[in-house]
Amino acid sequence: MTAAPRLRGAARREYRRLSRAADMPPPTHPLVTLTPGIPVAADDGAELLTDHWHAEGAGGQTLLIRTPYGRGGVAGVARFFAERGHHVVVQSCRGTFGSGGSFSPLHDEVADGQATLRWVRGQSWATDRVHSWGGSYFGVTQWAYCDGEERPDTMGIAISARRFDDAILYPGGGFSIDTPLTWAYALDMQERSLPRRIWALLRARWAIPRGTLATPPGEAVRVAGKADPQFFRDWVDHSDQGDPWWHPLRFASDVDTIPPVTLMAGWQDLFLVGQLADYAALKDADRPVRLIIGDWIHGDPETTVMGVREALAAFADTGKGADVRLEISGGAGWHEFEQWPVPTTTVFREFTADGQLALPEAERPAAALPYRYDPADPTPDAGGRTLNPFAAGRRDQRVREHRDDVLIFTGDPLPEDLVIIGEPGIDLTFASSNPRADLFIRLCEVDLKGRSRTITDVYQRLPAEAAPNESRRIRLSFAPIAHRFAAGSRLRVQVSSGAHPLHLRNPGTADPVRDHSRLIGSDQVVHVGGAAPAALTLPALDTSRAPAVHVPVAR
C-alpha cells in the first residue's frame, strides 16, 4: 500500500476535467492510497494485475473497472471516486500491461470477470454493492459479467454493445474495416516506449488508409504496421452472416440476467445502433434501464464526465429525471423523454430527376439516374461512425459530393427549424450490373454558407438474389438521430455504392470481404418519380413535447 502517486499526462487532465465539472460532489476523503499490481488469480492460474484505490475509513461502495488499455489510463477517474469515499478496483485484462496469459479479444472476459468479481466480494474491505463502470471495451467486459453467476449490482456502460460483431464489425453485411484496423494498430503500439508510440501516432494518418487497401484484407494490419494479430484475421475469416464462431462471444443473451444499467451512447459513435438495440431488448423484457445519448464521437471526453456523474448519482441513489435523456444536435440542447423511440410525425420528401428533394406530388416524371462504381477508386467515406480519430464525426462533404459516383439530391431552404428524432427512412428502386452491390446513403445538412456535413447514414450489402440490371425495390433505415436542421439550411441526400474505409470497398466478387484478387466495377441505376418514387421519410418532433433539461458540463 502506498500513497496515491501523482497523476501524469492524460490521467491528470481527466482528473482536472472531472474536478472542474459542474454539479460534482466535493471530495470527502482527500488522502487516497493505492495498492498497485495485486495478482488476482484467474481460473486457469493466470495472474490478472489489479490496482485498489481507497481512502482510510472509506465506507462507500465499490467501483470495478476492467480494461485492456492500462490501469494508469483511468487513474484520474479512480482517484476522483476514491476521494469521494469509494473503493475503486482497476484490473488489466489478461495479456495486457503485466497481466498473465495472452489477450484474445472477447474470448476470456466471462471467466476472468467471474474470477475478479469473486475476488472483490471476498475482500475484507468489500462493500455490499459493486458497481461496474466504463465504455467501449470496458463496456464489453461488463456485458460479459451477465453470463456468469456473479454479477455487479448495477452497471454503467458507455459506447459499447452486447454483440460486438453486429454492432461495429459487420453492420449492413459488409466489413467496417476502418474501426478494427484502427483498434489493432492502437493495441500494438500502446505498450511501446514513448518515442515509439509518438512515431506510430505520426505515421498512423497514412499507414491506416494504406492498410485498408491491402489485398487480401486479412493483411491489413500487417500492411499498416508490423503487427499481425490473429484476432483481426479471425474477424475477416468469420465475416459470413450467422457464422457460429461468434455465438460464444455474444454476451448477455439472456436479458433477465442483466442488472440495472445506465446506457450512454453517442449520435456519432460506432456503437450507436447496437447500443439502441440493447436498450430495446431490455425495455421489452421490462428490465431497469436508463438511456443517455449525447452528440459524441467515440472517446469524447464528455462521455467520461457524464458517466462519472451518473455513477455518483447511482451510488447516492439520487438519480432523477426521465429514463431517456437526449441531446438534440444542431444546438437544440438536452431534453428528457418518457420513452425511445419518441412519438413523432412523418415528413416526406421525394427525389427528382434534376437532383431536388421536393414535396410529394401526385404525378412526377419517371427517370433513371446512372452512376458507375469502381472499386479500384472506391468512393470515400468523408466521416461517419468510426473509431479512427482522423475520420470520425461530421465531416465536410465537398470532395465526396463532387465525385461522379455519388448522386446528390438537395431540398429548398427550410422556412423554419425542423427537428428530426428517430430513424429516417428511404425507399428507392435500384438496379446494378452486378447483383453483389452495396448501397451507402447519407443524410446531410447544408448550412447557410453552402457547407454540407454528414448527419447520419445507412449502409447495406444487397443480397445477390437479383439478375444483372434487374430493378428491385429497397427500403432502408438510417442510423437514429436527434438533430435540429436550422431554418434556412437545406436537407441533402447522397446515394452511392461505397464509403471506404468506413465500410470495406466491395470488389464485386462472390466473396467481397476475403477475395480482392479482382476488382470488378459495376453500373448502377436509381429510379426516381413514376409509380414508385424514391422518397425520404423523416420523423419530425413537436418541440413543445420535448422539455429541455439543464445538463452540466466540464468548464
Side-chain angles (χ1 to χ4, degrees):
M1 181 184 299
T2 62
R6 182 180 178 183
L7 300 176
R8 296 182 178 182
R12 182 175 67 248
R13 291 190 293 273
E14 191 159 70
Y15 176 82
R16 288 176 176 173
R17 187 181 301 112
L18 292 170
S19 299
R20 294 170 181 172
D23 290 1
M24 289 290 194
T28 57
H29 295 70
L31 299 179
V32 172
T33 58
L34 167 65
T35 305
I38 304 168
V40 175
D43 291 344
D44 63 354
E47 292 186 342
L48 308 176
L49 297 191
T50 304
D51 292 349
H52 176 211
W53 295 75
H54 59 103
E56 187 69 27
Q61 300 178 49
T62 301
L63 187 77
L64 174 59
I65 302 171
R66 299 191 65 248
T67 170
Y69 306 130
R71 302 183 302 284
V74 291
V77 170
R79 179 172 176 175
F80 189 84
F81 275 103
E83 288 179 345
R84 281 141 188 87
H86 301 289
H87 292 269
V88 184
V89 176
V90 182
Q91 183 179 89
S92 290
C93 294
R94 70 166 54 221
T96 68
F97 292 88
S99 285
S102 299
F103 182 55
S104 181
L106 309 177
H107 285 270
D108 300 293
E109 304 309 342
V110 173
D112 290 354
Q114 289 297 295
T116 304
L117 273 170
R118 290 193 299 269
W119 178 84
V120 168
R121 294 197 185 277
Q123 300 307 298
S124 60
W125 47 259
T127 55
D128 291 337
R129 293 177 62 79
V130 175
H131 179 96
S132 62
W133 183 89
S136 194
Y137 200 88
F138 299 27
V140 170
T141 67
Q142 295 184 70
W143 287 122
Y145 296 137
C146 302
D147 287 343
E149 294 183 0
E150 291 283 353
R151 301 180 191 90
D153 295 284
T154 59
M155 302 194 301
I157 298 179
I159 52 177
S160 191
R162 293 182 300 158
R163 295 182 62 154
F164 192 88
D165 52 332
D166 289 346
I168 67 169
L169 297 182
Y170 318 119
F175 183 46
S176 293
I177 192 171
D178 200 35
T179 285
L181 173 55
T182 300
W183 194 56
Y185 188 92
L187 285 175
D188 178 58
M189 73 177 185
Q190 68 174 356
E191 296 192 53
R192 297 182 185 181
S193 65
L194 180 59
R196 294 182 66 194
R197 289 202 308 274
I198 292 173
W199 168 240
L201 283 170
L202 291 173
R203 68 187 299 272
R205 187 179 288 272
W206 57 265
I208 291 175
R210 184 180 67 176
T212 67
L213 296 173
T215 301
E219 295 284 314
V221 183
R222 186 190 60 77
V223 169
K226 295 181 179 179
D228 190 13
Q230 183 59 44
F231 72 80
F232 184 87
R233 291 186 177 273
D234 287 340
W235 293 352
V236 173
D237 290 342
H238 297 284
S239 57
D240 294 327
Q241 188 172 11
D243 191 320
W245 184 86
W246 280 99
H247 292 173
L249 307 180
R250 294 170 174 172
F251 302 136
S253 56
D254 181 1
V255 294
D256 291 332
T257 67
I258 298 174
V261 58
T262 296
L263 299 178
M264 289 178 48
W267 296 122
Q268 303 176 65
D269 180 66
L270 53 147
F271 283 104
L272 172 66
V273 175
Q275 199 157 17
L276 283 172
D278 293 339
Y279 173 79
L282 289 165
K283 289 298 289 185
D284 289 345
D286 200 26
R287 300 299 295 165
V289 57
R290 296 185 66 234
L291 178 66
I292 300 171
I293 310 180
D295 191 28
W296 303 313
I297 63 171
H298 199 82
D300 191 312
E302 193 58 32
T303 61
T304 301
V305 176
M306 182 75 76
V308 168
R309 187 182 290 116
E310 289 295 314
L312 289 169
F315 282 162
D317 197 25
T318 59
K320 55 186 177 181
D323 286 343
V324 177
R325 186 189 304 167
L326 310 176
E327 183 179 10
I328 299 178
S329 59
W334 287 88
H335 298 260
E336 290 187 340
F337 300 91
E338 295 181 355
Q339 66 186 64
W340 173 271
V342 173
T344 56
T345 57
T346 303
V347 173
F348 296 92
R349 294 290 188 274
E350 289 185 358
F351 300 6
T352 70
D354 59 352
Q356 300 296 307
L357 274 179
L359 294 172
E361 289 185 1
E363 296 183 9
R364 192 179 298 280
L369 306 180
Y371 65 94
R372 180 167 179 79
Y373 169 72
D374 181 6
D377 179 24
T379 318
D381 53 16
R385 298 182 307 281
T386 174
L387 184 65
N388 188 337
F390 304 118
R394 298 211 169 95
R395 303 285 173 149
D396 191 307
Q397 300 295 294
R398 190 176 321 160
V399 172
R400 181 178 159 85
E401 290 178 351
H402 277 82
R403 290 178 61 101
D404 293 337
D405 53 3
V406 180
L407 300 180
I408 304 298
F409 303 89
T410 307
D412 293 330
L414 294 170
E416 59 186 13
D417 288 358
L418 176 64
V419 176
I420 303 302
I421 181 165
E423 294 183 358
I426 195 160
D427 294 90
L428 53 78
T429 303
F430 176 82
S432 174
S433 61
N434 186 342
R436 302 181 181 90
D438 291 357
L439 268 177
F440 181 80
I441 304 176
R442 174 166 278 163
L443 175 62
C444 301
E445 180 178 29
V446 183
D447 65 19
L448 298 179
K449 295 182 179 181
R451 293 173 299 193
S452 174
R453 285 185 171 81
T454 178
I455 301 300
T456 185
D457 53 52
V458 57
Y459 164 81
Q460 184 64 55
R461 176 150 291 169
L462 302 178
E465 56 190 21
N469 299 311
E470 176 185 355
S471 295
R472 43 182 158 174
R473 190 69 176 171
I474 296 168
R475 172 158 181 85
L476 299 173
S477 295
F478 290 88
I481 57 171
H483 183 76
R484 178 184 72 99
F485 291 86
S489 67
R490 292 175 290 160
L491 299 168
R492 175 170 290 172
V493 172
Q494 307 169 0
V495 179
S496 66
S497 288
H500 184 86
L502 184 65
H503 303 283
L504 178 65
R505 58 180 173 171
N506 187 343
T509 60
D511 185 359
V513 172
R514 293 173 287 253
D515 177 17
H516 283 225
S517 59
R518 296 174 299 150
L519 299 177
I520 305 169
S522 55
D523 295 304
Q524 330 288 45
V525 175
V526 174
H527 296 274
V528 301
L536 172 70
T537 57
L538 299 167
L541 178 70
D542 178 357
T543 54
S544 66
R545 302 171 65 178
V549 295
H550 168 67
V551 174
V553 297
R555 292 193 297 270

